[in-house]
Each structure stands twice: as structure tokens, then as C-alpha cells.
Amino acid sequence: MRSSRRCSRTGCSASAVATMTYVYADSTAVLGPLALRAEPGAYDLCARHAQGLSVPLGWEVIRLSMEEQPEHSTDDLLALADAVREVGLAEPPTPALHGPAEVVELARRGHLTVLADPDRRPD
């Protein structure tokens, strides 16, 4: 299935095949398969511009495999449901007895992270 989205580069009207995002604070750009939908802050690129992507000196480029284009599916939703279920069945973390509330990471699965609500106290 060809994308109806076009390359974000000025003057290029080729079909987009990849999406580039970046984390400015980490000086990192990530180039991967075309996202399922256009997102603010993400740049869709054609094959030529994806292959020739360069970043500022000192930045890192992470290139994800683009062999298989993602299909519209519920995989992320299922992964999120599994992660929430695993955390729900796990022992609750021991809350801090004093000091400011801190974010507590309960579990991580792939690119998903489950965090404890610092304002919620165990019964």
C-alpha cells in the first residue's frame, strides 16, 4: 500500500516511506518506518531523503529497520493492555514514608513504561 503522504522536505513531492523524529535534549534523531499517521514534530521522508539524512555535528542517528512497513493493527494497544495487566498482578511498590512524592517506574515493556501515581496512597 503506497502512502498518500508526501516527503516533508521543501520542494520534494515524492511519497513518504520513513518518519524521522528527534529528541533535542539528547541530540538524537530517530529514523524509522513511516508512522501510521502524521504527527506534529515528526517529519515524513521519501526514500532518497531518508537514505541521505544527516544531522548536526555531535548528534546521533538511530536508524530502525524499515524492511517491513507497519500495518494498521492493535499491537500497541495489546502491548499496553498486557503491561497494565502485569503491573496489576504484581506486588505494589513500598511507598516513601517521608519527602516529596517521586515518580516510581513499576514496569517496562518495549517502549512502554508503567508509572505509579505519586498522589495515590495504598489502602
Side-chain angles (χ1 to χ4, degrees), residues 52-98:
L53 177 70
S54 63
V55 295
L57 186 62
W59 278 55
E60 178 183 6
V61 177
I62 298 173
R63 293 180 184 269
L64 304 176
S65 172
M66 292 190 286
E67 293 175 6
E68 295 181 26
Q69 293 295 320
E71 295 180 17
H72 187 63
S73 71
T74 58
D75 287 346
D76 282 349
L77 182 58
L78 292 175
L80 178 60
D82 290 342
V84 169
R85 186 177 306 110
E86 287 173 15
V87 169
L89 296 174
E91 293 280 327
T94 306
L97 298 177
H98 57 353

Side-chain angles (χ1 to χ4, degrees), residues 5-16 44-49:
R5 296 196 328 246
R6 299 285 175 207
C7 183
S8 297
R9 294 290 300 259
T10 304
C12 184
S13 61
S15 293
D44 295 336
L45 300 173
C46 66
R48 182 171 64 97
H49 287 119

Side-chain angles (χ1 to χ4, degrees), residues 87 90-96 103-107 114-117 120-122:
V87 169
E91 293 280 327
T94 306
V103 175
V104 176
E105 181 178 312
L106 298 176
V114 180
L115 303 174
D117 183 351
R120 184 172 175 219
R121 300 284 182 229

